[in-house]
Amino acid sequence: MTNWISSFHSIKFKVALAATVIFLAALAVVSAIQVRQLRAETTRTLSDQQFTLVTSLAAEIDEKLETRRAILASEAANMHADIANSEKRLRARFDDEIALHTLFDSFSVISARGAVVYTSLEIPGWRTVNVSDRPYFKEAMANHIAVITEPFLSKLTHQPQIAIAAPVFDVRGEVAAIIVGSIDLLQDNFLGAIGNSRIGKEGYFYIVANGIQPVFIAYHIKSLIMEPALPNSVANPTLASALQGYDGTLLGIDGNGIKSLSTFKSLANADWVLAAVLPQDEAFEAITRTERTTLLAVLAISVIVAVCVWIVVYRLLAPLEDLRANMHSAISNPGNTKLPIANDARDEFGALIRKFNELMAVRDYADEQLEYAVRHDLLTGLPNRMLFNDRFEQALQRSHRNRQPIALMYLDVDYFKRVNDAHGHAAGDQLLVQFGQRATTCVRASDTVARLGGDEFAILLENVASAGVVGTIAEKLVAAMRVEFDLGDAKTRATTSIGIVFVHDFSRDAKVILKAADEALYAAKADGRNNYRLVEI
């Protein structure tokens, strides 16, 4: 029975009860994991669907390109070379050629010298045009095959286009002419339809012709046709991967700086890449709504759980809060806190309070020791440089406020190194202790004697009547140090040099006074030591 009651009062039991209630908050974690999994699954599904769509569309484009190339190659094979240089005979043959008019926006016949002999376009000055400098002309002439050209700006229409060029052979097997079927990239043909097509509300397709400088050949923003598609890899990292041969779907930044789901497929009949881009916000719109709904539900449950936990913890840990308040008061206002804290509890709180009382007792003792060690010299027990500087600043402020002179003395032991060398450092330490004691007996109880470090000492005198009084004290100090020092196993004599500043100009700051005292000490040493030098400022 006693053990059961003890367990009931245990803080572990109380915390376990509170933790059981807080477990409800795990709903948020579970929901987050489920939403993350749902987003991942949606991403895979959308990627697969989009890739299937792009693959099918790429195959369709490949088929249309191959159909056009085959028909144009057939026309070239069936064309007699003897009509290649006759515009009249070419018109009779091609003006009513329905297949070519249907498949191409325009078509032309080019002589072996690059001159335009025939064109389906009625454009003034076309007879003066020569395309012998075009890469597709050179390739068709050299390789004797039908080629799909890189995008170029037409010399006839001055519009961006791609073309299929097929060579016409004479009886000797030499190229007599080239038939060129052109597809205007700004017209509503099968390539233009790709650029005008949409995926969802904001998604779109585009085609990029790969090469030294990849360019758009189909895009929904017509002004970008023939413009660089990849100014740099940072501008569109997903496209950069596709142009290196990647086929598939990537989630990243598109060329417009928008996070998107981009799917790529390379064409078989041309060095082109077909892309489908769907903005991430649209792609995951349904998931985002689900996430928002889930988040609201989790927030609502979290609020309920938080209230329950707060009530339970507040009631169960009220004693701990009282202890915390006492601890805070003991730490921040030790002088106003009654210690030790009264305690009659039998549970873990009681044990904690008892340990706290022990800790506070240890802390108070340690604070006293630390405070003394921080502000006093451990060897001589005199104030150290930190405490001396603090008292000096306060004394200087009082001097300025009360218009009362002060004096600052710098002292050190003459030839102290010789004592260490002759008798050892332990003997030197004894000398420093006795030096400090003698200095203290030579001044008033209200004055400050401090050890600054090594064999350097300082004395601060307040409310000094005159420089003569300070000189008298200095003579007393010099005389006191001339008395033999008892170092235990040996006796030795030592003297002191003193630099003194008597301050009656209340506009002087601390740096000036300290520097003057230091200079006075060096002057006393220069005068042969075992004396003092006093300056007034």
Side-chain angles (χ1 to χ4, degrees):
M1 183 67 176
T2 303
N3 290 337
W4 183 86
I5 295 175
S6 176
S7 298
F8 182 78
H9 287 289
S10 170
I11 189 65
K12 291 182 287 187
F13 172 82
K14 300 171 185 178
V15 172
L17 180 61
T20 301
V21 178
I22 295 174
F23 177 75
L24 295 174
L27 287 174
V29 177
V30 173
S31 299
I33 294 174
Q34 290 178 340
V35 169
R36 181 181 292 273
Q37 291 175 341
L38 180 58
R39 176 177 283 268
E41 184 61 33
T42 301
T43 301
R44 286 193 293 269
T45 301
L46 287 173
S47 298
D48 292 343
Q49 292 176 347
Q50 198 159 292
F51 186 69
T52 300
L53 173 62
V54 171
T55 301
S56 175
L57 189 55
E60 183 180 339
I61 296 172
D62 269 325
E63 181 183 357
K64 290 180 178 180
L65 287 174
E66 182 57 32
T67 297
R68 284 160 174 76
R69 178 159 54 185
I71 289 176
L72 201 66
S74 176
E75 288 287 345
N78 294 326
M79 177 179 165
H80 293 290
D82 58 355
I83 70 169
N85 293 312
S86 173
E87 179 185 348
K88 181 178 179 180
R89 297 177 68 181
L90 289 172
R91 288 200 176 278
R93 177 185 176 102
F94 291 117
D95 279 354
D96 296 325
E97 184 64 54
I98 297 176
L100 294 180
H101 282 285
T102 302
L103 296 175
F104 298 99
D105 294 315
S106 65
F107 56 91
S108 308
V109 177
I110 312 297
S111 72
R113 296 181 178 274
V116 178
V117 181
Y118 164 83
T119 179
S120 62
L121 299 173
E122 293 297 333
I123 298 176
W126 64 267
R127 293 179 179 83
T128 63
V129 174
N130 188 288
V131 297
S132 59
D133 59 331
R134 293 293 193 184
Y136 71 83
F137 177 83
K138 296 177 180 180
E139 184 178 355
M141 291 290 293
N143 296 333
H144 292 189
I145 59 174
V147 298
I148 299 175
T149 71
E150 294 290 330
F152 63 93
L153 199 63
S154 172
K155 289 187 176 183
L156 292 173
T157 64
H158 304 290
Q159 296 295 315
Q161 61 182 221
I162 61 105
I164 298 175
V168 177
F169 300 100
D170 60 17
V171 294
R172 295 173 297 178
E174 296 179 355
V175 179
I178 295 175
I179 300 178
V180 179
S182 300
I183 302 172
D184 195 321
L185 299 180
L186 298 180
Q187 295 298 318
D188 190 18
N189 46 47
F190 76 99
L191 292 179
I194 297 296
N196 295 330
S197 299
R198 310 296 287 183
I199 306 176
K201 298 177 182 178
E202 301 294 334
Y204 56 93
F205 295 92
Y206 64 84
I207 300 175
V208 172
N210 205 349
I212 298 176
Q213 176 64 284
V215 297
F216 291 110
I217 60 175
Y219 204 80
H220 64 285
I221 302 175
K222 298 303 181 183
S223 61
L224 293 181
I225 301 297
M226 288 285 289
E227 291 296 320
L230 199 65
N232 53 73
S233 60
V234 177
N236 195 340
T238 54
L239 176 57
S241 298
L243 294 176
Q244 294 297 320
Y246 175 81
D247 282 353
T249 302
L250 295 172
L251 187 61
I253 304 298
D254 68 5
N256 299 316
I258 300 174
K259 288 185 177 180
S260 302
L261 200 66
S262 299
T263 303
F264 303 96
K265 179 63 178 177
S266 299
L267 271 67
N269 291 322
D271 192 9
W272 298 353
V273 173
L274 171 64
V277 179
L278 183 62
Q280 181 175 321
D281 290 344
E282 182 177 347
F284 300 116
E285 183 177 0
I287 297 300
T288 301
R289 286 197 300 268
T290 302
E291 288 177 342
R292 189 179 298 113
T293 302
T294 303
L295 177 61
L296 291 175
V298 170
L299 286 176
I301 295 174
S302 297
V303 169
I304 296 173
V305 171
V307 171
C308 294
V309 169
W310 184 85
I311 293 173
V312 171
V313 171
Y314 180 82
R315 289 180 179 275
L316 297 182
L317 300 185
L320 186 60
E321 175 60 23
D322 294 338
L323 176 59
R324 186 204 64 78
N326 282 321
M327 287 181 173
H328 178 74
S329 178
I331 293 171
S332 58
N333 300 294
N336 298 328
T337 303
K338 185 178 179 181
L339 292 174
I341 300 172
N343 168 45
D344 58 0
R346 293 176 297 172
D347 58 12
E348 288 89 339
F349 288 120
L352 183 59
I353 292 173
R354 288 189 291 274
K355 288 298 180 181
F356 175 72
N357 288 334
E358 294 175 7
L359 179 62
M360 288 298 99
V362 173
R363 187 206 66 172
D364 291 342
Y365 177 77
D367 285 348
E368 293 174 1
Q369 296 299 312
L370 180 61
E371 176 67 18
Y372 183 86
V374 167
R375 301 175 70 83
H376 289 79
D377 175 52
L378 298 182
L379 176 64
T380 63
L382 296 173
N384 60 14
R385 185 182 294 273
M386 178 187 295
L387 180 56
F388 177 78
N389 288 339
D390 183 53
R391 291 184 179 180
F392 176 63
E393 288 290 343
Q394 296 180 25
L396 194 59
Q397 293 175 12
R398 288 191 292 269
S399 173
H400 291 175
R401 184 170 57 252
N402 301 329
R403 318 301 287 179
Q404 290 291 331
I406 63 172
L408 174 63
M409 295 183 174
Y410 273 176
L411 307 80
D412 67 6
V413 182
D414 293 333
Y415 305 112
F416 178 68
K417 186 176 182 302
R418 294 179 182 177
V419 176
N420 279 336
D421 293 342
H423 303 286
H425 288 282
D429 288 346
Q430 292 184 43
L431 188 148
L432 292 175
V433 172
Q434 295 176 34
F435 188 94
Q437 293 171 346
R438 293 184 187 183
T440 302
T441 61
C442 294
V443 298
R444 299 166 298 181
S446 60
D447 297 327
T448 297
V449 178
R451 182 189 177 204
L452 304 183
D455 65 328
E456 298 178 0
F457 292 78
I459 299 177
L460 176 62
L461 308 173
E462 293 190 65
N463 300 322
V464 185
S466 64
V469 173
V470 178
T472 300
I473 296 174
E475 291 173 357
K476 186 177 178 181
L477 286 165
V478 171
M481 302 308 169
R482 289 172 180 158
V483 178
E484 191 174 51
F485 288 87
D486 186 358
L487 305 182
D489 294 336
K491 296 182 182 293
T492 187
R493 293 186 178 278
T495 58
T496 184
S497 299
I498 308 175
I500 309 170
V501 179
F502 179 71
V503 184
H504 51 75
D505 182 352
F506 305 111
S507 64
R508 300 288 186 171
D509 60 20
K511 289 183 179 180
V512 172
I513 297 171
L514 294 172
K515 182 179 179 182
D518 192 56
E519 292 175 349
L521 174 60
Y522 278 97
K525 289 177 176 290
D527 285 346
R529 306 176 190 263
N530 192 23
N531 59 21
Y532 69 90
R533 171 65 66 87
L534 187 149
V535 297
E536 298 185 39
I537 60 174

